[in-house]
Amino acid sequence: MKTHTLYLREDLAQAWRNKAIFPWLQTMPGEIFRDKEGRRTLRFEVEQHSYFLKYHQGVGWEEIFKNLLSLRLPIISARNEWQAVQFLQSHHLDTMTLAGYGEKGWNPAKRHSFVITDDLTDTMSLEYLGQQWRQTPPSFKSKYDLIQKLAHIAGTMHKNGMNHRDFYLCHFLLDKSFAETNVYQPSMPIYLIDLHRAQIRKKVPLRWQIKDLGSLYFSAYAVPLTQRDLFRFIKTYTQLPLRQALSQYADLWQQVKQRADKLYAE
């Protein structure tokens, strides 16, 4: 079993060529976004270039067992995230750009790992899409193209064996000019982020497919969507004629709606 992995892109390899990487990253200064439960998330700069670091330093057996007893899979390494980034890139979906990653130690409770990505500057989250579109309705084309894009991302991801587990609009980023122009074009990238809980296998189990789609639908409840908008999403997601997509996957869409309603009621 391989117990040590280390990759640094040339820019960071040169900047840190004389450093012991794991000890350096474990206490590296920067703008802290999270520092608890064995994980530090921060923004830092090297040579005027901005990066994000997620450093995992072992959650301990108590936290692992607590998650397992709650029927949750514990996050014990940054490996999930860098493999999910590589997966999305291999399927031509926009996401973060890897600048470094590493892992050491065989004990899952004490394993140290990290992932470094380029900072996605000048972007905005789709979390506020509902508020934006209620204040300034989009053109038909922009609305159509954005729905098509999100459906393509979800469909490609699920079809090829990955589920996100935090599949909400807040984890999609696009150019911040969208807030001002309200115009979306198919050529504009939408970056899927926060991949530390992602799962990759040959086929996504139905329950995780429902959870992803239900979470996305729930997070879009504030967005002024019509029945036709939902049908467009379904058609693109399944890559089937609408009538077939609705009949063949009737149970799926019913359970997705139930999942979204449950989240809304909580």
Side-chain angles (χ1 to χ4, degrees):
M1 175 180 169
K2 189 174 182 180
T3 59
H4 195 289
T5 299
L6 179 62
Y7 161 75
L8 292 177
R9 200 171 59 195
E10 184 62 23
D11 49 340
L12 294 181
Q14 284 295 321
W16 297 339
R17 58 186 177 276
N18 297 320
K19 294 187 181 296
I21 299 304
F22 282 89
W24 164 244
L25 294 179
Q26 188 175 1
T27 57
M28 188 176 66
E31 182 184 358
I32 303 291
F33 289 85
R34 176 193 174 99
D35 191 359
K36 61 179 181 178
E37 297 170 350
R39 190 165 84 242
R40 294 178 78 227
T41 302
L42 59 91
R43 179 191 286 124
F44 67 95
E45 288 191 3
V46 172
E47 299 295 335
Q48 298 182 325
H49 185 81
S50 183
Y51 305 85
F52 259 89
L53 164 70
K54 290 186 180 179
Y55 192 95
H56 297 241
Q57 50 191 4
V59 296
W61 285 114
E62 182 180 350
E63 183 67 20
I64 289 174
F65 286 129
K66 185 173 73 173
N67 276 266
L68 292 175
L69 289 172
S70 300
L71 302 180
R72 293 195 304 264
L73 292 174
I75 307 302
I76 60 174
S77 172
R79 178 179 290 272
N80 268 29
E81 189 132 22
W82 83 64
Q83 289 183 335
V85 169
Q86 293 168 334
F87 172 95
L88 293 175
Q89 290 175 337
S90 72
H91 291 93
H92 310 291
L93 299 177
D94 296 305
T95 184
M96 302 164 288
T97 300
L98 290 172
Y101 55 82
E103 182 180 55
K104 68 173 184 176
W106 63 269
N107 185 335
K110 297 181 179 180
R111 187 175 300 157
H112 283 232
S113 60
F114 71 89
V115 60
I116 301 172
T117 58
D118 292 329
D119 187 6
L120 285 168
T121 57
D122 298 322
T123 57
M124 60 168 282
S125 166
L126 281 178
E127 180 179 9
Y128 306 105
L129 185 64
Q131 179 182 348
Q132 180 173 322
W133 279 5
R134 288 183 184 280
Q135 293 175 347
T136 310
S139 68
F140 171 82
K141 185 177 186 308
S142 285
K143 190 179 188 183
Y144 174 86
D145 287 340
L146 186 56
I147 290 171
Q148 295 288 99
K149 185 78 165 189
L150 294 177
H152 169 72
I153 293 170
T156 302
M157 187 179 73
H158 287 163
K159 180 181 178 181
N160 291 284
M162 175 178 150
N163 58 286
H164 189 281
R165 294 178 69 199
D166 271 318
F167 205 51
Y168 300 94
L169 284 178
C170 61
H171 293 145
F172 291 90
L173 303 182
L174 75 168
D175 192 279
K176 68 178 183 181
S177 64
F178 178 68
E180 299 176 358
T181 65
N182 213 30
V183 173
Y184 179 77
Q185 298 175 352
S187 60
M188 296 170 63
I190 296 182
Y191 304 98
L192 182 57
I193 64 168
D194 272 16
L195 305 170
H196 63 280
R197 300 182 67 207
Q199 298 171 321
I200 301 172
R201 56 201 126 191
K202 289 184 178 180
K203 183 178 180 181
V204 174
L206 178 62
R207 63 187 287 261
W208 288 111
Q209 187 182 6
I210 292 167
K211 285 188 175 184
D212 269 5
L213 292 173
S215 297
L216 182 63
Y217 188 24
F218 157 72
S219 66
Y221 268 10
V223 182
L225 297 174
T226 66
Q227 190 70 55
R228 287 178 180 271
D229 293 328
L230 299 178
F231 286 163
R232 292 185 186 104
F233 180 95
I234 290 171
K235 184 177 179 181
T236 300
Y237 175 84
T238 60
Q239 292 294 290
L240 293 172
L242 180 60
R243 187 182 297 274
Q244 182 181 350
L246 291 174
S247 61
Q248 185 173 333
Y249 295 104
D251 288 345
L252 169 65
W253 305 121
Q254 182 180 5
Q255 291 181 74
V256 166
K257 180 67 165 61
Q258 291 172 349
R259 163 73 175 173
D261 287 344
K262 181 180 178 181
L263 289 171
Y264 184 76
E266 289 178 354

